[in-house]
Amino acid sequence: MAAAAQLFEEPFDADEYIERLAWRTPGGGSKGGAEAFDPKRLLVEFQNHIEELKQLDERIQRKVEKLEQQCHREAKEFAHKVQDLQRSNQVAFQHFQELDEHISYVATKVCHLGDQLEGVNTPRQRAVEAQRLMTYFNEFLDGDLRSDVFNNPEKIKEAADIIQKLHLIAQELPFDRFADVKAKIASKYHDLERQLIQEFTNAQRTGEIGRMREVAAVLLHFKGYAHCVDVYIKQCQEGAYMSNDIFEDTAVLCQRVNKQVGEVFCSPETVMAKLIQSIFDNQLQAHVKEKLDEARHSDVEQYLKNLYDLYSRTTLLTNKLAEFNLGSDKHTFLSRLIKNIFSMYLENYIEMERQYLQSRSAMILQRYYDSKNHQKRPLGSGSIQELKERIRQRTNLPLGPSIDTHGETLLSQEVVVNLLQETRRAFERCHKLSDPADLSRNAFSIFLLLVDHLCVDHIDYALEIGLSAIPSADAKNANLYFLDVVQQANTIFHLFDKQFNDHLMPLISSSPKLTECLHKKKEVIEQMEVKLDTGIDRTLNCMVGQMKHILATEQKKTDFRPEDENNVMIQYTTACSKVCVYVSWQVERVRRSMDGKNVDTVLAELGVRFHRLIHEHLQQFTYSSMGGMLAICDVAEYRRCAKDFRVPLVLQLFDTLHALCNLLVVAPDNLKQVCSGEQLTNLDRNLLHTFVQLRADYRSSRLGRHFT
């Protein structure tokens, strides 16, 4: 069975078990081949092994039964032990209850006895105290203070307790009979009060915290306790403001006093609050007044900077002070202190902010125009200007005199950055200094100023001047600088949009002013886009006009009907070469001036107009066979130039034009087949006929019969 036991391995697999048994049996495995296999011997081995397994199973079963019996026996013994423990616990619990009842009974008796003793002792103590006070009162009545407690400086604490009680009793006595003694007691009361305050002051100067705590506890019941706190606060501030940073000095002072005040006074939060109020009402208010009043009327920019800096630092200081124990409503208390200092300055803050931003922005713009020696033109307004604008949008006619700006766009990123920086600072001040209820309205008013100066007075003005400077379509060698205006206006608008999202949106995102701001921004964008579209359209017209001028001056009729058909050596005409150079240059300018989808849109429009011009231009000539080949070469060059547009529509148009030009050279017999080709089959038959009519052999070869 030891051998069989070795065959049991975890995890147990019956198939694996049989295989191992067969392998260990001589003649039972595959070793030695089919000839060495002995099935009878393997059968005998299996039978013997089965018997061994049966014996093993019986032994294991007996062992299991023995263990089960042992388990049942131990379970019964454990149950008996648990029952015995439960009975013992119940007896102990009963004893505990009896002991608890006995203790409660004794405690009740003790409390009752204590109440009886207190009832007897309290009147006795009161009588003793009354007798003692009457003795001291008699001394005041006689005018001779003989008791050591009034004459010994070391017993000032006990004397203070007595005189405080006598002072309360004296206030109840009739004035006519006890006027003299009341005066003596009051005099002694005030004298002791002064002594205690002086002793507290001396202890504070020498740093005796324990003595300060004792004296403060005695003075707590005196009327001069508040004066003691005032003296403490005053001395705390002596020598505390030695540097030029009052806010840092205040934070350090309060941090130091906060540790000490809890050790000295029984209500440290009250003392700490009073200290902070004293600092705000005196030190900080004087500092703020000095910084702001001197700049309020002389330098508005410095005034706004100082106001923002002082308010920010004061707010930061109160955040630090809020960490101290100042009572239950410390945030309201600190807010009220800030309001007391800055309320008079914050009432008209936004008016000063708008006035400063208005004058500053106007100065930045004027300084720029002065540097360019440009006298700003007043732009028209009202119904006449609107009528001109509509006519210009629909006809592209240059209304009014053309302006020569010498290529100057009148747009400056430096000016824009300065305007945006001033506005950003205004938004930051607005966020910090505005009341939460007025924040969105104030931010909107600042935004309107930015729109007026940046979008209207600078960008819109430059667009108007740029539109006026665009020459007519038939002008020669025109300076099409309006694309530079477009490029700079696009860059400036991105900066404007970034400030709108980064600085204005957080101030108005949760207010009704958000809708107004978005509407105003959309209105401004649409107005600028209309003028940009108009300017770009007129600029494209000028480009096409320049191409037309090149073709008119450089293209000769003999180009396509050469006198010597066999001696044409050029690849394409001079007109084609110059037009392609001009177009490539203008395409590159468009790419530099715009971004995104605007590039594809403008280039698509330019490409369509370019194609229309070439299409119409080619129809002005009559073509010989060699001239037709030269026209095809020109169109191929135009098509190569059109690839620079990277607009599929434009390339498709020139592919079709190239296919049309093939009609100029195709053999008459193949003309009908070419017209039915893939590129021409969808075109109008009249268009095909028109191109065929341009051939010099149209009549002689009777080509018109193919279209009848």
Side-chain angles (χ1 to χ4, degrees):
M1 287 308 295
Q6 294 178 4
L7 296 174
F8 290 102
E9 294 182 358
E10 293 296 336
F12 180 75
D13 186 341
D15 294 338
E16 182 68 21
Y17 178 74
I18 296 299
E19 288 295 332
R20 289 186 180 184
L21 180 61
W23 179 77
R24 294 167 63 91
T25 303
S30 59
K31 188 167 30 175
E35 297 177 355
F37 180 70
D38 187 354
K40 291 183 179 181
R41 188 168 184 177
L42 183 61
L43 175 62
V44 172
E45 183 64 27
F46 278 177
Q47 290 174 344
N48 294 337
H49 196 74
I50 289 171
E51 288 299 325
E52 291 178 358
L53 290 175
K54 288 181 179 179
Q55 295 174 8
L56 178 62
D57 179 64
E58 290 175 358
R59 284 199 298 273
I60 292 175
Q61 189 63 34
R62 287 195 297 271
K63 187 175 182 180
V64 169
E65 291 175 355
K66 182 178 179 181
L67 291 174
E68 286 178 348
Q69 292 175 359
Q70 182 179 355
C71 182
H72 288 311
R73 185 170 61 255
E74 291 179 354
K76 290 180 181 179
E77 293 176 357
F78 179 74
H80 288 308
K81 288 182 180 180
V82 171
Q83 290 176 355
D84 293 340
L85 290 173
Q86 287 179 341
R87 285 193 293 270
S88 300
N89 182 61
Q90 188 173 6
V91 172
F93 182 71
Q94 291 176 352
H95 290 167
F96 174 77
Q97 284 184 326
E98 293 174 358
L99 180 61
D100 184 58
E101 292 174 358
H102 186 66
I103 291 174
S104 298
Y105 175 76
V106 173
T108 303
K109 290 292 185 181
V110 170
C111 290
H112 178 67
L113 180 60
D115 292 339
Q116 290 180 334
L117 291 174
E118 185 178 1
V120 174
N121 187 54
T122 301
R124 178 178 174 278
Q125 286 182 339
R126 289 177 179 174
V128 171
E129 181 68 16
Q131 182 183 11
R132 188 168 68 94
L133 291 175
M134 289 173 64
T135 301
Y136 295 132
F137 185 82
N138 286 333
E139 292 185 10
F140 279 97
L141 193 61
D142 296 339
D144 184 15
L145 300 180
R146 300 179 300 275
S147 299
D148 183 57
V149 70
F150 294 120
N151 299 307
N152 189 349
E154 296 181 358
K155 295 184 178 181
I156 189 172
K157 181 178 178 180
E158 184 180 352
D161 179 62
I162 294 170
I163 201 66
Q164 192 268 336
K165 292 177 180 178
L166 289 176
H167 187 262
L168 293 176
I169 294 172
Q171 291 178 350
E172 303 295 330
L173 298 177
F175 182 78
D176 53 348
R177 294 179 55 189
F178 298 97
D180 185 52
V181 70
K182 290 177 70 172
K184 293 177 180 178
I185 292 175
S187 176
K188 190 64 175 177
Y189 178 89
H190 293 304
D191 184 50
L192 279 175
E193 191 177 59
R194 284 193 297 272
Q195 291 182 37
L196 288 170
I197 292 175
Q198 185 60 45
E199 188 165 346
F200 181 88
T201 303
N202 296 335
Q204 183 180 0
R205 288 173 177 168
T206 57
E208 299 179 42
I209 302 299
R211 186 57 181 163
M212 290 170 63
R213 181 171 56 251
E214 292 178 4
V215 176
V218 174
L219 279 170
L220 181 63
H221 304 290
F222 280 77
K223 295 179 180 179
Y225 178 72
H227 182 58
C228 173
V229 174
D230 292 340
V231 170
Y232 175 76
I233 291 174
K234 182 179 179 181
Q235 286 200 167
C236 285
Q237 299 180 60
E238 291 180 358
Y241 296 96
M242 302 301 293
S243 69
N244 294 326
D245 191 344
I246 188 173
F247 297 97
E248 185 62 28
D249 289 343
T250 299
V252 173
L253 170 62
C254 292
Q255 186 72 36
R256 174 173 57 82
V257 172
N258 183 62
K259 297 179 180 179
Q260 187 182 81
V261 76
E263 301 175 357
V264 175
F265 298 98
C266 60
S267 55
E269 67 279 359
T270 305
V271 178
M272 197 66 195
K274 198 168 184 179
L275 168 66
I276 292 174
Q277 182 169 0
S278 173
I279 294 172
F280 271 72
D281 292 346
N282 297 290
Q283 306 289 347
L284 284 181
Q285 190 160 22
H287 178 72
V288 169
K289 183 177 178 60
E290 177 188 359
K291 288 289 185 181
L292 295 181
D293 287 358
E294 63 182 1
R296 190 169 191 174
H297 303 291
S298 60
D299 189 348
V300 179
E301 179 181 9
Q302 190 61 43
Y303 168 78
L304 291 172
K305 289 181 179 179
N306 289 347
L307 179 59
Y308 175 76
D309 180 64
L310 291 170
Y311 190 86
S312 300
R313 299 197 66 187
T314 304
T315 305
L316 184 61
L317 175 62
T318 56
N319 292 337
K320 294 180 180 179
L321 298 180
E323 299 175 0
F324 304 138
N325 182 14
L326 304 177
S328 57
D329 201 9
K330 57 185 176 182
H331 294 289
T332 304
F333 167 71
L334 293 171
S335 299
R336 188 174 68 251
L337 293 180
I338 295 178
K339 185 177 180 180
N340 291 340
I341 294 177
F342 290 97
S343 58
M344 63 178 294
Y345 303 105
L346 298 181
E347 287 176 354
N348 62 344
Y349 150 71
I350 193 61
E351 286 78 11
M352 298 193 71
E353 183 72 78
R354 294 182 75 256
Q355 291 173 7
Y356 165 72
L357 192 59
Q358 176 84 24
S359 61
R360 178 66 176 173
S361 300
M363 185 197 72
I364 291 173
L365 289 173
Q366 190 58 47
R367 187 170 57 192
Y368 168 71
Y369 293 127
D370 290 344
S371 69
K372 298 296 182 181
N373 293 322
H374 175 76
Q375 182 65 36
K376 196 171 183 182
R377 296 177 58 216
L379 298 178
S381 61
S383 58
I384 297 178
Q385 179 67 17
E386 293 176 1
L387 178 61
K388 286 184 177 181
E389 185 63 29
R390 291 182 181 179
I391 295 174
R392 184 168 61 187
Q393 291 176 15
R394 296 190 179 188
T395 64
N396 279 317
L397 294 177
L399 302 179
S402 179
I403 300 175
D404 186 7
T405 61
H406 305 288
E408 184 63 55
T409 63
L410 295 181
L411 288 174
S412 168
Q413 287 195 30
E414 181 181 357
V415 169
V416 173
V417 169
N418 289 336
L419 290 175
L420 291 177
Q421 283 182 344
E422 292 293 342
T423 310
R424 176 181 58 80
R425 296 189 191 103
F427 280 136
E428 291 175 351
R429 289 192 291 265
C430 175
H431 188 198
K432 180 67 71 173
L433 302 176
S434 295
D435 186 271
D438 301 329
L439 176 59
S440 59
R441 183 171 65 252
N442 293 346
F444 181 64
S445 66
I446 294 174
F447 172 67
L448 291 180
L449 288 175
L450 176 63
V451 170
D452 288 343
H453 290 95
L454 177 61
C455 299
V456 177
D457 292 346
H458 193 54
I459 302 177
D460 191 68
Y461 177 76
L463 292 178
E464 285 287 348
I465 298 298
L467 286 172
S468 302
I470 297 177
S472 60
D474 55 353
K476 301 176 182 179
N477 299 320
N479 182 10
L480 304 180
Y481 89 103
F482 190 80
L483 290 178
D484 297 330
V485 177
V486 173
Q487 178 185 10
Q488 294 190 31
N490 188 43
T491 302
I492 291 171
F493 180 75
H494 283 311
L495 295 174
F496 169 76
D497 190 55
K498 177 174 173 53
Q499 181 162 96
F500 182 91
N501 294 324
D502 293 349
H503 296 95
L504 178 60
M505 284 296 290
L507 306 183
I508 62 170
S509 58
S510 58
S511 74
K513 287 294 180 182
L514 175 61
T515 304
E516 293 185 51
C517 286
L518 293 175
H519 176 73
K520 185 65 177 178
K521 178 185 174 186
K522 181 181 178 182
E523 180 183 343
V524 170
I525 294 173
E526 289 176 349
Q527 290 175 356
M528 288 196 295
E529 285 181 344
V530 167
K531 293 181 180 180
L532 287 170
D533 290 344
T534 302
I536 292 172
D537 185 65
R538 291 173 58 190
T539 300
L540 295 182
N541 286 340
C542 290
M543 291 180 183
V544 174
Q546 186 66 22
M547 296 180 217
K548 187 181 295 186
H549 173 70
I550 294 173
L551 292 172
T553 56
E554 298 293 337
Q555 195 85 71
K556 300 178 178 58
K557 289 188 177 182
T558 56
D559 286 345
F560 302 113
R561 294 189 70 176
E563 297 178 358
D564 186 359
E565 293 272 339
N566 298 320
N567 194 25
V568 178
M569 304 300 294
I570 59 175
Q571 295 180 345
Y572 40 80
T573 64
T574 303
C576 171
S577 174
K578 290 186 177 182
V579 167
C580 288
V581 170
Y582 179 78
V583 170
S584 298
W585 181 52
Q586 297 301 337
V587 168
E588 186 61 31
R589 286 193 66 189
V590 171
R591 291 195 183 281
R592 289 198 308 268
S593 303
M594 302 177 192
D595 58 3
K597 295 182 179 179
N598 294 329
V599 176
D600 295 336
T601 302
V602 174
L603 288 180
E605 181 63 26
L606 176 61
V608 169
R609 298 186 188 189
F610 175 38
H611 166 267
R612 186 185 305 124
L613 173 66
I614 300 302
H615 185 276
E616 294 172 353
H617 174 72
L618 291 175
Q619 295 184 40
Q620 299 175 7
F621 301 94
T622 302
Y623 300 87
S624 65
S625 177
M626 183 56 65
M629 292 297 297
L630 193 57
I632 291 175
C633 291
D634 277 4
V635 173
E637 185 65 16
Y638 291 137
R639 184 174 61 176
R640 184 196 62 76
C641 181
K643 290 181 180 179
D644 295 339
F645 286 71
R646 302 173 196 168
V647 178
L649 173 62
V650 176
L651 190 59
Q652 181 182 352
L653 290 174
F654 277 95
D655 285 342
T656 303
L657 182 60
H658 188 270
L660 285 171
C661 288
N662 287 331
L663 297 177
L664 302 175
V665 298
V666 67
D669 296 338
N670 297 332
L671 185 61
K672 189 172 183 179
Q673 180 182 356
V674 173
C675 289
S676 302
E678 181 180 356
Q679 288 185 308
L680 301 179
T681 186
N682 294 325
L683 297 181
D684 186 6
R685 298 277 295 177
N686 293 329
L687 176 62
L688 301 179
H689 192 188
T690 300
F691 260 82
V692 173
Q693 287 176 331
L694 301 176
R695 293 176 56 144
D697 61 347
Y698 175 74
R699 294 183 182 276
S700 60
S701 299
R702 300 175 58 196
L703 299 180
R705 58 190 171 83
H706 294 289
F707 298 95
T708 57

